[in-house]
Amino acid sequence: MLMAHPAVLKDLITQYETLALLGAEESTPRARQRLADISYTLCVATGTRDVDMALIAARHRLSGARPEDDSLLQEPTPAVAASGA
């Protein structure tokens, strides 16, 4: 399964929490649709079927992650021996 980049997950969580805080569920049809879209995207991005589980999974994947982490794009550097051989 492909994993969403931490920056994407962070953005989705922020959008979901903002819409939920503003009461999008009881708001305009457009706001409700946006909340539903974000919920769906979170579920797809985390491989879950429930938005609460998606939020947990997304937060777990953010743990210690840096949003600007591009380590997958860089070539690994060889480890330097500490003993100075």
Side-chain angles (χ1 to χ4, degrees):
M1 176 173 79
L2 293 174
M3 303 268 262
H5 192 278
V8 172
L9 292 175
K10 184 176 181 181
D11 182 55
L12 289 170
I13 291 169
T14 301
Q15 288 184 57
Y16 179 86
E17 289 174 342
T18 301
L19 287 167
L21 183 65
L22 294 174
E25 292 172 337
E26 295 88 31
S27 188
T28 65
R30 185 174 177 188
R32 285 193 300 272
Q33 184 60 52
R34 184 66 184 145
L35 183 61
D37 291 345
I38 295 295
S39 299
Y40 174 80
T41 305
L42 268 167
C43 288
V44 170
T46 58
T48 60
R49 294 181 182 211
D50 175 74
V51 72
D52 293 325
M53 293 305 296
L55 288 166
I56 291 168
R59 288 183 182 119
H60 177 73
R61 291 186 190 156
L62 287 180
S63 180
R66 294 185 337 254
E68 57 276 349
D69 182 12
D70 62 350
S71 60
L72 295 176
L73 302 176
Q74 299 173 356
E75 292 188 31
T77 56
V80 178
S83 61

